[in-house]
Amino acid sequence: MEKLYYPHLELFPNARIKSMDEYEALVQEFEKDYEGTWAKYAREKLNWFKDFEQTLDESNAPFYKWFVGGKINVAYQCIDRHLDSKKNKAAIIWEADNGERKVITYLELYKSVNRFANLLKNKFHIKKGDRVVLYMPMIPEAAFAMLACARIGAIHSVVFGGFSADALRDRIIDANAKLIITADGAFRKGKPYLLKPTVDKALEEGCESVEAVLVVKRNNESINWVEGRDYNYNELIKEQSSECEAEIMDSEDPLFLLYTSGSTGKPKGVQHSQAGYILWAQMTMEWTFDIQDNDTFWCTADIGWITGHTYIVYGPLAAGATTVMFEGVPTYPDVGRAWKMIEELQINQFYTAPTAIRMLHKLGADEPKKYDLSSLRILGTVGEPIDPAAWKWYYEVVGNGRCSIVDTWWQTETGGHMITPLPAATPVKPASATKPLPGIFAKVIEKDGTPTPIGEKGYLCIVKPWPSMIRTIWNDNERFKNSYFGECVYEGKPVYFSGDGAMVDELGYITITGRVDDVINVSGHRLGTAEIEGAAKKHDAIAAIAVVGKPHEIKGESPFAFVVLKENQESSNEELLKEVNEIIKEEIGAIAYIENLVIVPDLPKTRSGKVMRRLLRAIAKKEAIKQDTSTLEDPSIVQAIETIVKNS
Ligand code: WT7
């Protein structure tokens, strides 16, 4: 059996879960009294304006409700309740691309968020339930804006700054947003870049619901200004009072939407609620990250993704911690940037993606040794499976063989960690997410609920509802039901299916094997192949296209396209790839660029016309075809495509 890595317990004297026995005891507690245990934590951890009456309402499954009747405010939970004991503690340490730093204390955060909230209310008449889209760089105002929305009960939808105008427009329209908050731009690798022009372009058509655009000035580049629509944050904020009462919210009122990719074309507005989400954001900070009062926590995600929501903003602040927010990239001005930040800020928990780890490893395998990284206790990874080689480098070189590595499996839909080692308890097997957190009933099963035998691939399901779970897809209850509760059944009941495959080993540890649907994971970014295909089809010469994921050394996966040209059309693979990527840049953003493209005479289709994607995945990987091809309409096509790929 593979070697297990045990925690260095001296690093975790105050851990909440100190051993596997304590872990098992908690799991048992949830098993014996599921609702009672969740209720206990909810009452212990959250500041309620009014206690809840019912812990879990399953009467309208899968539209589960948690902590029904409770009244709460998430901004209050993240800020106000800490003011008595830590008003002068750093809430956010922001580091700019050029190394400049700002420390924002809890009291300062309170004032900034209140001013922002007053601005939203007074100037833009934003009310409880209104949707506000954020298209922001990594600057403190992004966090202020999220918390200001939470404070007044508005629903934010943060759109990642790498998305194109078209992608932004789709999300604005789907959410019927009233206000857009953006910035002129920001800095990356020493140079200014712009965001506002993308907002202008998005608003050119179809966004009738948008009344105003609030612009934070970050780099003072010259930008277009629409009188009567665009407003200068830096001026307006000065007039606002730093007191703003927190709106009394129901546990189940929506807190935010976050769009993510599914297996069909249109992105899904994943809807999260108030109490359940913030409870789990806070508890996972305590359990997975062993957050302590004097810690400095750094998650490198962008706030445009769920990791940035839960582990830069909501989780750390709910836990009263100090969270680091970074505008730049870890390779600028050189490949030691991240290690330098860890040394200077004495970071205790560092949380990043396997893509970043592989890149930093490749570009500077010995670089971490030049810095004093002894403040680190926990190294986290998230977003994609981590390969054992990257894991070992992270453990041995970055963590100097003593830090606990937490390989956290979760999703936009789960709100917070689901399967992860506990830093002071779990003996870790490299590249395994190990065990579900207490309270999370994750199982690897067949579609009918039969447990998958040890070592075999099955469907990763969560068989009981949990507080921070997705509530629905914005405006699309049917799609919510079908996407997540339409595939797998456990003990006779439809259960949440993640879209991931997984395997259980003889220790009961879960290893994630990756998506089993048509979603691919490129540099930790989740992309629907249908979305990429939809964009590419706008090219005039393309008759049909199938995109699959191909393993990539740094990015994890990269999109590989098989294209059939229309009759009388001609092109080369290189030329077409360039043109198609231009379209993808417009429609989605550069994050979805196709890496390889081959023009083929036809796609492998069954007699009923279904494209056999599994075959294409194997061909893209240059694997020998093991699948049965006899059901194909034209079996000879497989060999023809294989030859083309071999010669490409
Ligand atoms: C998908 C969710 C969760 C925040 C970042 C991504 C993959 C996530 C792991 C992990 C293997 C992982 C899964 C999942 N994934 N964490 N530790 N090991 N795979 O959020 O964009 O919603 O993507 O990321 O495939 O379904 P997301």
Side-chain angles (χ1 to χ4, degrees):
M1 210 183 67
E2 239 183 298
K3 175 180 165 190
L4 294 177
Y5 292 76
Y6 288 82
H8 286 237
L9 290 175
E10 70 280 7
L11 297 177
F12 310 100
N14 300 312
R16 282 95 173 165
I17 304 174
K18 285 195 166 71
S19 64
M20 284 317 267
D21 286 347
E22 285 187 19
Y23 163 80
E24 289 298 343
L26 275 173
V27 171
Q28 284 308 314
E29 198 183 326
F30 275 104
E31 240 167 59
K32 269 195 224 114
D33 182 8
Y34 193 64
E35 292 185 30
T37 308
W38 278 117
K40 181 190 85 175
Y41 282 110
R43 292 202 169 97
E44 187 184 308
K45 304 280 174 192
L46 300 181
N47 274 58
W48 294 95
F49 300 143
K50 181 176 162 280
D51 190 15
F52 51 91
E53 287 138 24
Q54 190 185 0
T55 303
L56 171 62
D57 176 0
E58 301 187 84
S59 60
N60 192 23
F63 301 93
Y64 297 101
K65 290 185 179 152
W66 282 91
F67 312 123
V68 184
K71 303 282 184 192
I72 190 164
N73 182 284
V74 166
Y76 188 96
Q77 178 73 19
C78 289
I79 308 170
D80 305 41
R81 72 184 192 104
H82 303 310
L83 293 180
D84 278 348
S85 59
K86 37 184 115 181
K87 65 175 186 294
N88 293 321
K89 172 173 175 171
I92 300 176
I93 299 177
W94 176 72
E95 182 158 317
D97 183 61
N98 70 0
E100 178 203 334
R101 272 181 205 141
K102 257 188 213 164
V103 177
I104 298 147
T105 65
Y106 272 92
L107 182 59
E108 287 166 340
L109 180 65
Y110 172 81
K111 292 183 181 177
S112 297
V113 168
N114 284 348
R115 284 197 198 97
F116 212 130
N118 280 324
L119 179 58
L120 297 181
K121 272 209 302 209
N122 301 335
K123 181 82 193 175
F124 303 106
H125 312 291
I126 301 296
K127 297 179 306 291
K128 181 172 175 167
D130 285 344
R131 273 81 57 211
V132 176
V133 163
L134 274 61
Y135 189 66
M136 293 286 275
M138 290 290 286
I139 55 176
E141 287 79 6
F144 302 164
M146 291 164 76
L147 291 159
C149 288
R151 190 155 196 97
I152 65 173
I155 303 170
H156 62 67
S157 166
V158 184
V159 178
F160 172 57
F163 278 119
S164 70
D166 287 7
L168 175 59
R169 181 187 305 127
D170 290 346
R171 289 158 175 76
I172 293 170
I173 294 174
D174 191 72
N176 239 315
K178 207 164 148 183
L179 176 72
I180 315 296
I181 305 176
T182 188
D184 47 3
F187 294 93
R188 188 190 297 125
K189 297 191 187 176
K191 293 193 190 73
Y193 70 93
L194 294 174
L195 286 168
K196 172 68 163 49
T198 310
V199 174
D200 291 337
K201 195 166 167 219
L203 295 182
E204 271 168 15
E205 46 185 290
C207 298
E208 279 81 26
S209 60
V210 175
E211 293 171 7
V213 178
L214 179 60
V215 185
V216 179
K217 294 287 182 74
R218 161 67 187 134
N219 58 17
N220 285 310
E221 290 293 301
S222 104
I223 48 170
N224 172 48
W225 204 258
V226 179
E227 269 329 303
R229 186 199 75 183
D230 298 350
Y231 293 85
N232 182 338
Y233 166 86
N234 308 57
E235 286 304 320
L236 291 170
I237 201 70
K238 291 181 195 157
E239 305 156 14
Q240 303 301 321
S241 148
S242 59
E243 290 300 321
C244 174
E245 196 136 340
E247 189 79 29
I248 309 283
M249 302 299 288
D250 270 357
S251 294
E252 281 296 317
D253 283 333
L255 175 63
F256 64 79
L257 310 179
L258 187 55
Y259 284 81
T260 190
S261 298
S263 41
T264 58
K266 200 171 161 264
K268 313 184 262 197
V270 171
Q271 181 180 319
H272 279 287
S273 73
Q274 312 267 331
Y277 172 79
I278 201 66
L279 173 66
W280 197 230
Q282 184 178 324
M283 285 177 71
T284 49
M285 283 302 297
E286 297 174 353
W287 282 355
T288 311
F289 290 126
D290 182 42
I291 195 78
Q292 302 293 336
D293 198 37
N294 200 32
D295 284 349
T296 306
F297 177 85
W298 182 19
C299 163
T300 68
D302 188 278
I303 41 128
W305 309 115
I306 190 70
T307 311
H309 283 57
T310 308
Y311 298 109
I312 294 178
V313 181
Y314 288 114
L317 297 175
T322 299
T323 181
V324 173
M325 191 175 179
F326 178 41
E327 183 189 39
V329 297
T331 48
Y332 175 84
D334 56 57
V335 74
R337 178 65 180 270
W339 318 129
K340 181 164 177 263
M341 280 177 69
I342 292 172
E343 175 179 290
E344 289 185 358
L345 296 171
Q346 298 193 9
I347 303 288
N348 305 99
Q349 296 90 351
F350 179 63
Y351 192 29
T352 195
T355 294
I357 299 167
R358 287 191 292 262
M359 190 181 61
L360 291 169
H361 180 194
K362 190 173 174 188
L363 299 177
D366 290 326
E367 199 66 19
K369 294 183 187 149
K370 299 182 191 159
Y371 297 86
D372 176 3
L373 305 182
S374 60
S375 58
L376 289 171
R377 298 202 309 277
I378 294 171
L379 298 170
T381 120
V382 60
E384 15 155 3
I386 181 167
D387 46 291
W391 193 97
K392 289 211 167 96
W393 180 75
Y394 204 30
Y395 183 80
E396 273 152 22
V397 182
V398 181
N400 200 15
R402 54 195 270 289
C403 295
S404 290
I405 295 201
V406 291
D407 178 355
T408 61
W409 177 85
W410 60 296
Q411 311 178 288
T412 304
E413 292 86 346
T414 70
H417 301 155
M418 303 300 277
I419 307 177
T420 174
L422 290 164
T426 315
V428 167
K429 183 169 121 177
S432 168
T434 72
K435 295 213 163 199
L437 286 167
I440 303 301
F441 288 77
K443 300 252 184 282
V444 180
I445 54 177
E446 307 299 325
K447 286 189 179 180
D448 65 1
T450 331
T452 310
I454 285 176
E456 274 174 42
K457 249 197 231 183
Y459 295 87
L460 178 56
C461 292
I462 316 294
V463 302
K464 278 181 197 280
W466 67 102
S468 67
M469 69 192 293
I470 174 177
R471 292 306 191 264
T472 188
I473 292 172
W474 180 255
N475 264 335
D476 206 342
N477 286 341
E478 266 318 293
R479 189 171 179 200
F480 166 71
K481 264 202 322 218
N482 298 336
S483 308
Y484 303 107
F485 292 86
E487 203 126 6
C488 298
V489 171
Y490 185 75
E491 291 176 351
K493 268 209 283 192
V495 289
Y496 178 88
F497 169 49
S498 62
D500 279 316
M503 279 186 316
V504 181
D505 69 8
E506 51 296 334
L507 296 167
Y509 283 10
I510 297 173
T511 296
I512 316 298
T513 53
R515 304 287 308 197
V516 301
D517 53 8
D518 294 321
V519 169
I520 58 175
N521 199 324
V522 182
S523 300
H525 300 319
R526 178 165 158 189
L527 298 165
T529 52
E531 258 173 276
I532 305 178
E533 290 162 6
K537 269 188 202 143
K538 306 221 158 144
H539 191 291
D540 285 338
I542 294 180
I545 176 167
V547 173
V548 298
K550 177 191 167 186
H552 186 282
E553 193 198 347
I554 300 287
K555 300 177 183 173
E557 274 185 298
S558 62
F560 192 118
F562 298 85
V563 178
V564 183
L565 293 179
K566 286 183 186 158
E567 237 167 279
N568 303 322
Q569 292 285 346
E570 255 181 70
S571 188
S572 68
N573 294 344
E574 297 73 36
E575 199 183 330
L576 192 61
L577 176 64
K578 233 173 88 196
E579 290 165 8
V580 165
N581 276 341
E582 276 308 308
I583 300 174
I584 287 174
K585 189 175 170 190
E586 292 287 311
E587 298 271 326
I588 307 174
I591 54 171
Y593 275 167
I594 291 173
E595 179 111 3
N596 307 83
L597 180 151
V598 288
I599 298 171
V600 294
D602 203 354
L603 298 174
K605 280 187 237 129
T606 60
R607 280 182 205 105
S608 58
K610 206 169 146 359
V611 175
M612 294 267 287
R613 289 167 174 282
R614 249 187 308 152
L615 266 174
L616 292 175
R617 276 194 283 267
I619 297 174
K621 283 191 223 168
K622 300 191 177 162
E623 276 175 7
I625 305 294
K626 285 182 239 123
Q627 285 99 337
D628 172 22
T629 55
S630 63
T631 58
L632 290 180
E633 196 184 48
D634 171 13
S636 73
I637 197 68
V638 174
Q639 219 193 343
I641 299 175
E642 275 187 300
T643 312
I644 291 170
V645 171
K646 245 179 231 145
N647 299 332
S648 71

